[in-house]
Structure formats: structure tokens, C-alpha cells
Amino acid sequence: QVQLVESGGGLVQAGGSLRLSCAASGRTFSDYHMGWFRQAPGKEREFVATINWSGTVTSYSESAKGRFTISRDNSKYTVSLQMNSLKPEDTAVYYCATRRPPAGYEFWGQGTQVTVSS
């Protein structure tokens, strides 16, 4: 079982930046694809970004493309999400998760709150 802990959330003004981090336990971290998701009050959880096991292939939601960057450091068992040009609609709890294709996302962190003010 993989244990995940997110950090780096907080309050920022619109147009500002924030960097989220997810720390994972276990020596098999590099076997997993990693993803970031978010959930705002009253809304369903939605996909934000994903990165493959080696960090060579990434994918983003339409809202995140051009503003967010996902990266990973397998030697440190971490995955990060750099968020720039933040908008109020980015306000949500952000979660990291693991996946081993062809299976879906299986393990999730506790989430970290991101609030963007106007």
C-alpha cells in the first residue's frame, strides 16, 4: 500500500503562484503513474494533471494547460504541481493519487486546500 501526503496549499491572490508537493512512501514509487485532482465545494472531483513513471510524459486538463506544471523526483519519492496565473475558480482541495496502468487510480492523499481570492 502506498501512503501519500500533500502539502503546500494556502491562500493566494488571483494571478499569483503556488507549488504543491506530494510525498509518497515505499520503494515502489517509480512503478506508478501519478496524478493531481481537485474538488471544489458542491462539485465532483476533477482531473488536473498526470505524469508517467519516468516523468517523460505529462497530460493536463484544459483549464490547467499553460498554467500548471506537474513534475516528479523518483529519488525523493515526490510529485509536485506548480500552479501559476491562479484564478478564483482554481479554489479547491487538491489531491494526489497513484495509478498502475491498465488499472485506474488506486491510492489517494488526504488533500490540501488552495484558495484564490479576487
Side-chain angles (χ1 to χ4, degrees), residues 97-116:
T98 66
R99 179 192 180 193
R100 286 191 293 176
Y105 288 94
E106 184 176 11
F107 301 109
W108 300 78
Q110 85 289 347
T112 185
Q113 177 70 48
V114 172
T115 303
V116 184

Side-chain angles (χ1 to χ4, degrees), residues 2-10 18-23 34-40 45-46 48 79 81 83 90-98 107-115:
V2 178
Q3 305 296 138
L4 303 172
V5 180
E6 300 96 334
S7 62
L18 203 61
R19 186 177 181 85
L20 306 183
S21 181
C22 175
M34 300 294 297
W36 283 98
F37 295 77
R38 67 187 183 187
Q39 186 170 25
R45 185 173 298 182
E46 64 176 338
V48 176
V79 60
L81 184 69
M83 303 185 293
D90 293 319
T91 296
V93 176
Y94 284 71
Y95 301 87
C96 66
T98 66
F107 301 109
W108 300 78
Q110 85 289 347
T112 185
Q113 177 70 48
V114 172
T115 303

Side-chain angles (χ1 to χ4, degrees), residues 30 32-34 50-59 72 74:
S30 61
Y32 292 85
H33 289 23
M34 300 294 297
T50 188
I51 187 167
N52 75 332
W53 72 272
S54 63
T56 58
V57 180
T58 59
S59 182
R72 69 189 298 163
N74 289 345

